[in-house]
Amino acid sequence: GAGVSQSPRYKVAKRGQDVALRCDPISGHVSLFWYQQALGQGPEFLTYFQNEAQLDKSGLPSDRFFAERPEGSVSTLKIQRTQQEDSAVYLCASSFPGEETQYFGPGTRLLVL
Amino acid sequence: GESVGLHLPTLSVQEGDNSIINCAYSNSASDYFIWYKQESGKGPQFIIDIRSNMDKRQGQRVTVLLNKTVKHLSLQIAATQPGDSAVYFCAENLGYGGADGLTFGKGTHLIIQP
């Protein structure tokens, strides 16, 4: 497909479990972003990659959150020891080099019980 | 606090009427603004964008207006259709050539009445 894809689309985890969320950006998009969207709220920035380099991780809420993009394409957002407050939709977006317009994937809806 | 916000959480309009969704921002250094449409269960979909050196930009049935003096942004949708029902977010960034996370407002839920 031509758009950003994310998997899984839905994830239910027991509190304390680790989860891994995957993002496949649009081919050729150098920049990749992760956002967290709580119910009824706008997305909030988590972290940003340019190729494989993580240039900004100021939005990650705690050290339980970790993101990587080892080969500069697919990215994984990992949440360790999940808590109920981690329940949200996690959105991935990508953009062309030098352009500000970000294109979003469908998101992964995480529910922590 | 949030840099970008919206005046109204819900906007109800009659099908065929024009819709105007408003947004206030507080960061005068913001250089780039985007409107996104988000339908239930989907990711935000790009609608239209505008740079700070412009005050108006038009797309297909949509117009974005930027008033830098009062730091206000609006999205106008002409001849609103049922498919326009969604939550609309404005977002901003500092325009560092793509090297910047977006700051979103809370969103306005647009409801189309038949």
Side-chain angles (χ1 to χ4, degrees), chain A residues 9 31 33 35 37 40-43 45 48 50 91 95 98-106 109, chain B residues 32 34 36 38 41-44 46 49 51 89 93 95-102 104-106:
Chain A
R9 290 296 314 279
S31 300
F33 303 81
Y35 293 83
Q37 185 174 24
Q41 302 291 318
F45 170 77
Y48 156 66
Q50 185 169 334
L91 295 162
S95 65
E99 291 192 5
E100 287 90 351
T101 305
Q102 296 179 21
Y103 298 91
F104 283 81
R109 187 175 299 273
Chain B
Y32 180 69
I34 313 176
Y36 284 97
Q38 188 172 29
K42 298 184 179 180
F46 172 83
D49 57 3
R51 291 202 172 278
F89 293 98
N93 74 9
Y96 290 150
D100 189 22
L102 296 170
F104 283 81
K106 286 189 172 65

Side-chain angles (χ1 to χ4, degrees), chain B residues 73-94:
Chain B
L73 192 69
S74 69
L75 176 70
Q76 300 178 3
I77 305 173
T80 311
Q81 303 169 358
D84 295 328
S85 291
V87 177
Y88 289 81
F89 293 98
C90 64
E92 64 174 321
N93 74 9
L94 298 176

Side-chain angles (χ1 to χ4, degrees), chain A residues 76-112:
Chain A
T76 303
L77 176 66
K78 297 179 179 178
I79 309 173
Q80 297 176 324
R81 304 180 303 280
T82 52
Q83 303 294 316
Q84 287 184 323
E85 60 263 28
D86 299 334
S87 295
V89 175
Y90 291 86
L91 295 162
C92 177
S94 66
S95 65
F96 282 111
E99 291 192 5
E100 287 90 351
T101 305
Q102 296 179 21
Y103 298 91
F104 283 81
T108 294
R109 187 175 299 273
L110 173 66
L111 177 62
V112 182

Side-chain angles (χ1 to χ4, degrees), chain A residues 18-33:
Chain A
D18 298 348
V19 298
L21 313 179
R22 176 187 170 108
C23 172
D24 285 82
I26 295 172
S27 178
H29 280 198
V30 168
S31 300
L32 185 146
F33 303 81

Side-chain angles (χ1 to χ4, degrees), chain B residues 49-67:
Chain B
D49 57 3
I50 190 168
R51 291 202 172 278
S52 60
N53 61 354
M54 303 171 68
D55 54 20
K56 181 178 180 180
R57 192 171 187 208
Q58 289 185 293
Q60 189 174 17
R61 280 202 309 120
V62 295
T63 301
V64 55
L65 298 178
L66 176 62
N67 185 330

Side-chain angles (χ1 to χ4, degrees), chain B residues 11 13-17 19 21 36-40 42-43 45-47 60-62 75 77-88 108-114:
Chain B
L11 176 65
V13 299
Q14 294 286 333
E15 182 178 349
D17 287 353
S19 301
I21 300 172
Y36 284 97
K37 172 187 179 183
Q38 188 172 29
E39 296 173 286
S40 181
K42 298 184 179 180
Q45 176 188 354
F46 172 83
I47 301 174
Q60 189 174 17
R61 280 202 309 120
V62 295
L75 176 70
I77 305 173
T80 311
Q81 303 169 358
D84 295 328
S85 291
V87 177
Y88 289 81
T108 292
H109 186 193
L110 179 63
I111 299 171
I112 312 304
Q113 295 184 346

